[in-house]
Amino acid sequence: MNRRNFIQILGLGAGLGAGIGISSAIVGCGPTEPTEAFGWNGPDPMEKDIRMQVLAYAILSPNSHNIQPWIIRITGPLSFDLYVDPERLLPATDPYYRQIHISQGTFLETLSIAATGLGHEARIDYFPEGVYGNHELLNKPVASIRLIPRADINPDPLFAHLLTRHSNKQEYDNRRLKQTEIDALQTFHGAASIYPLSIVQSTKAKQQLEKILTKGMQIEVGDKKRDLETIGMFRFNDAEVKQYRDGFGVTQAGLSGIKKMIVENFLLSRESTEKDPTAFGEQAVDLTRKTAESTATFAWISSPGNSRLDQVKAGRDYCRINLKTTAMGLVQHPMSQVLQEFEEMLPLQAQFKKQFSINSSDTVQMLFRLGRAEATPHGPRRLITALIRD
Ligand SMILES: Cc1cc2nc3c(=O)[nH]c(=O)nc-3n(C[C@H](O)[C@H](O)[C@H](O)COP(=O)(O)O)c2cc1C
């Protein structure tokens, strides 16, 4: 793989990729599937089962590495339980499954909003068989969900944004949010959440975060186990996307058309990357630096406690903010490396908390950037049936 070429192409791709408008089908790089085919049209119009309709939205939730760590067990005609899928964890980068539980919260938030848009209330009972410790994962439901038909229910205004929300990983235009936008986000968040939302955009904060985020990625990629875990979720071409319907690839970083075709066909291959992840790691660091440098506004949600319930609720908050920023014409992107709990990251995490006066005992659950950029294509999703178990 020619690392410099890849970076140059990705660098250009961030600005121009979406604008090129030549699909990989036209340039003949193999099968392309419209993203709509991977879940983003919402429920099948022929689907009459409200549980399946709601789940068709819930699967579109943001989740770490798009691993889709959800299992559904049907418990009644209008009810089901949500479990963590123990086969879909990321133990090298998320050793205590905190991000996986945040991803349960995003799922619950999306389904709850979807229910209102479909004339139902979703009653959610958290950890109905008892909550487990935040260093363990037990085979107990994260939540029991009951759908109550409610002719009088007002659809949540965020329902209109479930099919367009996405994590926008490309470069932004380095413009700060307006104070009115920050105020709107704080008011919106404060109305439903018990956890503080911090939004920073001073020159000093930006410079500090550029360094911290880049360093965080440098630390993450310094280890073969972690590299292989990420590479395992990276989709190197359209055929892999079609086969697995999860993970993420260069498309989600804003690369399209000829540039995507060149990177996927000539510069990146699973075989060589797995054999030697060094260049892949270097690219991740360079891209992190570039995306951080292109951003003026950063935000985080923190919680004084860090129980499984805190994690799930913080995930709900994160998802609501992502939908709200979508509604406001803004884009959003988590950058989680410095929050990760493996040993080598802890000194940088302590430094981050100190620099931003975050209590050392608080947990920063989500750290993300905010800004403006063209929309990028959606990441794929599996079929709902893949989530459902007896
Ligand atoms: C807990 C959590 C952590 C995440 N961390 C990162 C991250 O560090 N870097 C990143 O690029 N995306 C991160 N994401 C975004 C996911 O990659 C994204 O949600 C997933 O690929 C699905 O794409 P979508 O949000 O566009 O639907 C994170 C998402 C969640 C919920």
Side-chain angles (χ1 to χ4, degrees):
M1 170 171 24
N2 182 329
R3 178 180 159 265
R4 187 171 301 142
N5 280 354
F6 178 29
I7 301 227
Q8 274 172 355
I9 286 173
L10 271 185
L12 279 175
L16 301 176
I20 275 184
I22 301 171
S23 79
S24 49
I26 294 170
V27 297
C29 82
T32 49
E33 194 85 16
T35 52
E36 290 77 13
F38 295 112
W40 289 93
N41 271 351
D44 182 336
M46 304 303 284
E47 178 61 71
K48 295 285 174 273
D49 186 329
I50 182 67
R51 295 166 304 184
M52 298 306 133
Q53 290 177 18
V54 164
L55 289 170
Y57 285 105
I59 202 169
L60 306 178
S61 305
N63 66 98
S64 26
H65 279 0
N66 195 21
I67 198 168
Q68 305 171 31
W70 310 297
I71 283 182
I72 297 296
R73 293 188 202 280
I74 300 292
T75 53
L78 287 176
S79 62
F80 52 87
D81 286 352
L82 170 68
Y83 289 75
V84 170
D85 184 342
E87 308 286 316
R88 290 179 171 267
L89 305 173
L90 299 161
T93 50
D94 183 25
Y96 304 131
Y97 321 123
R98 186 185 56 82
Q99 297 183 57
I100 290 290
H101 283 81
I102 289 180
S103 305
Q104 307 300 310
T106 59
F107 190 92
L108 290 171
E109 185 61 28
T110 308
L111 84 75
S112 164
I113 293 169
T116 67
L118 298 166
H120 286 69
E121 178 192 340
R123 291 234 174 113
I124 295 176
D125 185 13
Y126 296 112
F127 297 99
E129 293 176 19
V131 66
Y132 41 84
N134 68 357
H135 281 198
E136 63 181 355
L137 175 63
L138 300 186
N139 184 25
K140 290 182 173 187
V142 170
S144 287
I145 298 101
R146 212 152 41 94
L147 300 170
I148 322 277
R150 287 261 315 266
D152 60 332
I153 203 160
N154 286 326
D156 188 316
L158 298 179
F159 179 66
H161 305 286
L162 294 180
L163 300 181
T164 44
R165 182 216 61 79
H166 64 293
S167 305
N168 197 307
K169 305 187 182 206
Q170 66 182 324
E171 288 179 35
Y172 297 172
D173 66 4
N174 233 325
R175 271 190 298 150
R176 292 177 179 169
L177 264 58
K178 299 184 195 115
Q179 192 54 46
T180 48
E181 290 170 325
I182 292 182
D183 294 346
L185 277 175
Q186 289 290 12
T187 305
F188 169 81
H189 175 76
S193 177
I194 52 169
Y195 306 120
L197 167 68
S198 305
I199 304 178
V200 293
Q201 52 180 6
S202 68
T203 308
K204 184 171 171 210
K206 171 182 162 62
Q207 285 168 350
Q208 286 174 326
L209 278 161
E210 281 173 10
K211 287 204 185 95
I212 289 167
L213 295 168
T214 308
K215 180 84 182 141
M217 185 58 93
Q218 264 160 359
I219 295 170
E220 180 180 302
V221 301
D223 172 90
K224 184 117 191 212
K225 244 191 346 276
R226 292 196 291 269
D227 288 347
L228 288 179
E229 185 173 272
T230 304
I231 292 165
M233 292 311 298
F234 191 82
R235 299 293 162 246
F236 284 80
N237 50 51
D238 291 338
E240 286 195 351
V241 172
K242 204 169 170 182
Q243 181 180 353
Y244 298 110
R245 301 176 65 126
D246 61 8
F248 59 97
V250 292
T251 316
Q252 279 69 54
L255 214 61
S256 67
I258 290 176
K259 291 184 171 63
K260 174 176 181 288
M261 189 273 287
I262 294 171
V263 168
E264 289 185 349
N265 285 273
F266 302 114
L267 301 178
L268 272 178
S269 91
R270 178 169 295 285
E271 205 189 4
S272 59
T273 306
E274 282 177 350
K275 208 186 296 163
D276 179 8
T278 317
F280 191 86
E282 286 170 358
Q283 284 149 19
V285 173
D286 278 356
L287 288 173
T288 302
R289 181 182 297 111
K290 278 192 170 160
T291 48
E293 283 173 359
S294 75
T295 306
T297 308
F298 297 85
W300 59 87
I301 300 168
S302 56
S303 60
N306 188 27
S307 67
R308 291 302 188 205
L309 190 55
D310 286 320
Q311 296 165 4
V312 169
K313 286 187 173 172
R316 293 193 68 160
D317 288 349
Y318 176 77
C319 188
R320 282 188 78 75
I321 293 171
N322 198 175
L323 289 162
K324 180 67 177 173
T325 52
T326 306
M328 292 165 69
L330 300 171
V331 291
Q332 181 169 325
H333 174 208
M335 299 182 92
S336 305
Q337 285 65 40
V338 66
L339 311 184
Q340 291 169 167
E341 291 90 345
F342 53 84
E343 194 71 30
E344 300 93 309
M345 196 61 83
L346 300 182
L348 183 68
Q349 194 179 106
Q351 185 193 327
F352 161 57
K353 285 183 174 175
K354 196 160 170 223
Q355 281 182 348
F356 288 93
S357 305
I358 301 165
N359 280 338
S360 58
S361 56
D362 285 4
T363 301
V364 179
Q365 300 287 0
M366 289 299 287
L367 170 61
F368 47 101
R369 57 193 187 106
L370 294 168
R372 292 179 176 77
E374 290 292 312
T376 48
H378 287 299
R381 294 299 192 274
R382 291 173 297 152
L383 297 171
I384 300 302
T385 45
L387 267 48
I388 297 179
R389 306 291 153 78
D390 294 333

